[in-house]
Amino acid sequence: MKINSRTKIVGENVLLVPYEAVHVPKYHGWMKSKELQELTASEELTLEQEYQMQASWREDEDKCTFIILEKSVYDETKDEVESMIGDTNIFLVDNLVGEIEIMIAETAARRKRCGWESVIMMLLYGIQFINIKEYVAKISMNNSKSIDFFTKLGFEEESRSEIFKEITFKKLVNEQWTSWLREQVKKIEIKNY
């Protein structure tokens, strides 16, 4: 999405930066993992297809994606690729509804609350800058960690698809929930990238 092409979001433990071509080879390597493919309901792409996907996410007005960097690693190395741990996305289902996604690909970065901080920052970004009024999350039925994660964020089950083996969760945006989200993150700064 062009709106976030020159934006980074700085948190306490993570940085969210636009998905650039330089990130594609490492991202492509992650997506060769059968586990990640299953958890994200994704198929393996060729490297060329991954570059095309990156360009699409950058230019299409209905997609917003950020690469998640582990802030401590980035602060030490100043190397975005070395600091990459995952990504978070919003796909606009319609004008005011966004499908939220999160992936922490680096196993060493899991269980450090990097995903929690990243998705909350992304939810707040969507509310403030994209004017999202409702979020949905589609999660594989066998991904109990993500189901628990989004339930803790206040999402409620809306439907199940036995065909796709996924559950759709929904959360309406309101002032009380937005305030609660802000309380969950100690630091969030929107800066030029």
Side-chain angles (χ1 to χ4, degrees), residues 159-175:
S159 63
R160 289 178 178 249
S161 170
E162 294 300 327
I163 295 169
F164 294 110
K165 302 287 186 216
E166 70 182 13
I167 305 170
T168 299
F169 290 86
K170 176 175 147 178
K171 180 64 184 164
L172 292 173
V173 173
N174 59 44
E175 286 183 33

Side-chain angles (χ1 to χ4, degrees), residues 68-80:
I68 304 167
L69 308 181
E70 190 166 10
K71 193 171 182 290
S72 62
V73 176
Y74 181 77
D75 288 345
E76 185 178 317
T77 65
K78 302 301 182 208
D79 184 329
E80 287 188 9

